[in-house]
Amino acid sequence: MLAAFAAFSGCRTAGQKIADSALSGKPACETAALQAPDAGAVRPAEFTTPAGSEGAAAPGAESPDGPLRLPDPAERGEVVDAPPPRRLGVEALVAEAIASHPRVGAARARYAAASWRPVQARSLEDPLLSNNFFPISDHALQTAGGRAGNTLSVSQKYPWPEKRDTRAAIASREAQMAAARLRAVELEIEELVRLAYYELWFADRAIRIGERNREIAAELVHLAEARNAAGGSRQDVLRAAVQVDNLDNRLIELRQQKALAQADLAALLRRPDAAGIEPSESVDCDAAIADRDALFAAAVGCNPELIEARWAASRDRQQQRLACLAKRPDFVVGAAWQTITESDAVSPVANGHDNVSLSVGVTLPIWRDRIDAGIREASASAAASSRDYHAKRDDALREIRRIDEQIEAAKEQLRLYEERFAPRAKQALELAAADYRGRLVGFGEVTDGFSEVLLVELQAARVEATLCGLVAQLRRAVGCDLLPPAEGERGSM
């Protein structure tokens, strides 16, 4: 009988291979040792970048009598022996990270596990099958119909009807909480990728700015040499050479900063190395953002932490209802079959007719102290979760307000650098170079102007990267795509 029951249960033997995935919805009864997945099976496709040469022909020395020319990057002649590296847009990297990051995979598996709990909570408990027998015939129960050999019985417990639905409602809300946590993890990984990408973009942009300004510094060296040949000071030539050396040192630091940002992105993308991770030529984060009231309304409906808190409050209200239902009894119904035999019977009228019986039981919820304590506990938990939701909502709205203020300030700073600081600094450098040729100012005025141009351009790039990072943080705080795209895909795949 036990062998037949095991066959009926559907459990496979331990020697069978588990072929069902936990996420596919097919159950597997066996216990298998966890093995590390094949690295090649989980590693995303690699982006290979052809090796290219980066040399740029230096512009010729200007005449000491002509104006100082600030070179345009578009006019720089580049020697290209191979196709340039493929520059990736941030959206493609975000999609790749979300698809491959193990934290997202773990959260997705937890949600899949939670989604199967409502079915379990709504189902009945397993029925109880029992067999009562007397191994010694002399000690067996004797009836008028004969000797009772064994009694086979089955019973099933039926909870109060509302209890099963309430347990299923609790499990369903916990599944929704797991879905909200999954969305929160995806938004966190997206934010990390965007912040690392914008840091990489700033380092790449700063390197290009440094290389362009190094060409200007080389022109200053030629300018000082021409002035020295006409009777100027050799000190001016050395000061100009120091500017070139400072830029070389700055470029070393920027290339290291870029390599670190590429390493951060490679880790988020689970790539073996940072080869081929190059940012787009430009980003566009200065897009019109919805007004603050619209952001607040969107966050209430989209922020995963607020969604999880709402489902938690709803779950605790259902748990409070379940605690109140503990006052209702549960029922047990059963049936029994008792075999009667004439062998070894002591009754002279034994006929060997088997007995069949039915049973009905009910639980008695009489321990009111325990039930009342459970109701008070559930009520307190429901009140706490409701207050937690309001606290998290206030925190989310405060964070959105702070980020929105920072975004507006960054926009104003970026416009100030682009429309006022940068043009005036370049004009001041050109005038200082012209006055130096005319022996009206010393070379220190020229080097100060050059340093100011470099500082303004680097600060403008930093403010633009900071603006993009703030928009990424706002996207996570709001939780949905109410905002315009945070980065232009002009350099994307």
Side-chain angles (χ1 to χ4, degrees):
M1 183 180 64
L2 293 178
F5 177 75
F8 175 75
S9 65
C11 293
R12 293 174 289 180
T13 61
Q16 290 177 293
K17 182 179 179 181
I18 298 177
D20 300 328
S21 170
L23 301 181
S24 66
K26 298 180 180 179
C29 297
E30 297 84 354
T31 301
L34 294 178
Q35 299 179 353
D38 184 8
V42 298
R43 184 175 301 158
E46 300 180 5
F47 292 89
T48 57
T49 303
S53 59
E54 291 184 1
E62 295 288 341
S63 170
D65 297 330
L68 179 66
R69 176 176 175 271
L70 302 182
D72 187 351
E75 299 177 2
R76 292 159 51 192
E78 299 206 4
V79 180
V80 180
D81 295 333
R86 179 170 50 183
R87 295 187 175 270
L88 305 175
V90 66
E91 301 297 339
L93 297 180
V94 166
E96 180 181 346
I98 291 178
S100 62
H101 201 279
R103 288 183 58 191
V104 177
R108 189 174 290 117
R110 292 188 184 97
Y111 168 62
S115 64
W116 291 107
R117 291 171 190 158
V119 178
Q120 303 174 60
R122 186 178 287 109
S123 65
L124 294 172
E125 295 181 7
D126 292 334
L128 177 62
L129 177 66
S130 62
N131 185 36
N132 184 23
F133 61 94
F134 299 92
I136 303 176
S137 60
D138 292 341
H139 297 168
L141 178 67
Q142 295 285 344
T143 67
R147 181 176 61 86
N150 66 296
T151 303
L152 183 66
S153 62
V154 60
S155 61
Q156 175 67 61
K157 182 179 181 180
Y158 288 91
W160 189 264
E162 297 181 17
K163 290 183 179 180
R164 292 168 56 196
D165 293 337
T166 305
R167 291 193 184 101
I170 293 173
S172 176
R173 282 151 177 78
E174 290 178 346
Q176 295 295 336
M177 292 169 62
R181 286 191 289 269
L182 168 60
R183 178 57 180 160
V185 172
E186 291 177 345
L187 287 174
E188 180 183 358
I189 298 302
E190 177 182 352
E191 180 188 24
L192 292 175
V193 171
R194 290 183 184 276
L195 293 178
Y197 180 87
Y198 296 134
E199 189 66 23
L200 173 62
W201 176 86
F202 166 74
D204 184 74
R205 175 72 175 273
I207 289 173
R208 284 181 283 152
I209 291 174
E211 291 173 348
R212 185 171 70 249
N213 281 272
R214 191 186 187 283
E215 296 176 4
I216 301 175
E219 291 189 20
L220 293 179
V221 172
H222 293 300
L223 180 62
E225 289 175 348
R227 177 73 176 272
N228 180 60
S233 173
R234 180 64 182 172
Q235 184 181 4
D236 294 346
V237 179
L238 296 177
R239 295 176 68 178
V242 168
Q243 293 289 338
V244 176
D245 295 338
N246 288 335
L247 276 173
D248 288 339
N249 182 60
R250 177 69 66 86
L251 287 172
I252 292 174
E253 296 175 352
L254 290 174
R255 291 190 180 100
Q256 181 187 17
Q257 184 177 352
K258 179 179 179 180
L260 293 176
Q262 287 175 323
D264 291 341
L265 270 178
L268 289 169
L269 300 174
R270 303 193 70 205
R271 295 191 183 186
D273 52 53
I277 302 179
E278 293 291 337
S280 59
E281 294 286 347
S282 61
V283 291
D284 183 14
C285 302
D286 192 14
I289 297 177
D291 61 271
R292 193 170 299 176
D293 291 337
L295 294 177
F296 289 163
V300 171
C302 298
N303 186 290
E305 294 183 0
L306 297 182
I307 294 175
E308 181 183 358
R310 282 201 302 272
W311 283 115
S314 179
R315 176 204 60 189
D316 290 345
R317 288 193 296 269
Q318 292 295 326
Q319 288 179 339
Q320 182 181 8
R321 181 187 179 193
L322 183 63
C324 294
L325 289 175
K327 298 178 181 180
R328 300 290 186 265
D330 298 332
F331 305 97
V332 179
V333 296
W337 171 48
Q338 187 178 51
T339 59
I340 302 297
T341 178
E342 298 179 48
S343 63
D344 297 329
V346 297
S347 173
V349 294
N351 55 16
H353 293 173
D354 295 341
N355 295 327
V356 176
S357 63
L358 299 177
S359 62
V360 177
V362 61
T363 61
L364 301 177
I366 60 175
W367 309 117
R368 309 301 294 183
D369 292 342
R370 176 183 60 82
I371 296 174
D372 292 341
I375 294 174
R376 293 188 181 96
E377 177 189 2
S379 299
S381 297
S385 59
S386 178
R387 286 166 174 79
D388 284 341
Y389 167 73
H390 290 290
K392 290 182 179 180
R393 185 188 63 180
D394 294 341
D395 291 341
L397 299 185
R398 181 173 63 252
E399 182 181 5
I400 291 174
R401 186 181 297 109
R402 290 172 60 88
I403 297 175
D404 190 47
E405 292 289 349
Q406 293 175 347
I407 287 176
E408 292 302 321
K411 286 182 178 181
E412 292 295 330
Q413 284 184 319
L414 186 59
R415 281 194 291 267
L416 189 62
Y417 279 114
E418 292 178 347
E419 298 175 4
R420 296 168 61 181
F421 283 168
R424 292 175 181 176
K426 292 179 181 179
Q427 185 180 9
L429 175 58
E430 293 172 353
L431 292 176
D435 291 342
Y436 176 72
R437 291 189 184 93
R439 301 178 182 274
L440 299 177
V441 297
F443 194 71
E445 298 290 337
V446 180
T447 56
D448 290 344
F450 171 77
S451 299
E452 186 68 22
V453 169
L454 176 61
L455 180 62
V456 167
E457 291 183 343
L458 290 177
Q459 287 178 340
R462 169 51 69 188
V463 170
E464 189 170 2
T466 301
L467 174 60
C468 293
L470 289 171
V471 173
Q473 294 177 24
L474 186 61
R475 289 169 65 95
R476 180 184 177 184
V478 173
C480 57
D481 294 331
L482 176 67
L483 304 176
E487 191 265 345
E489 290 298 310
R490 286 170 288 183
S492 60
M493 294 169 39

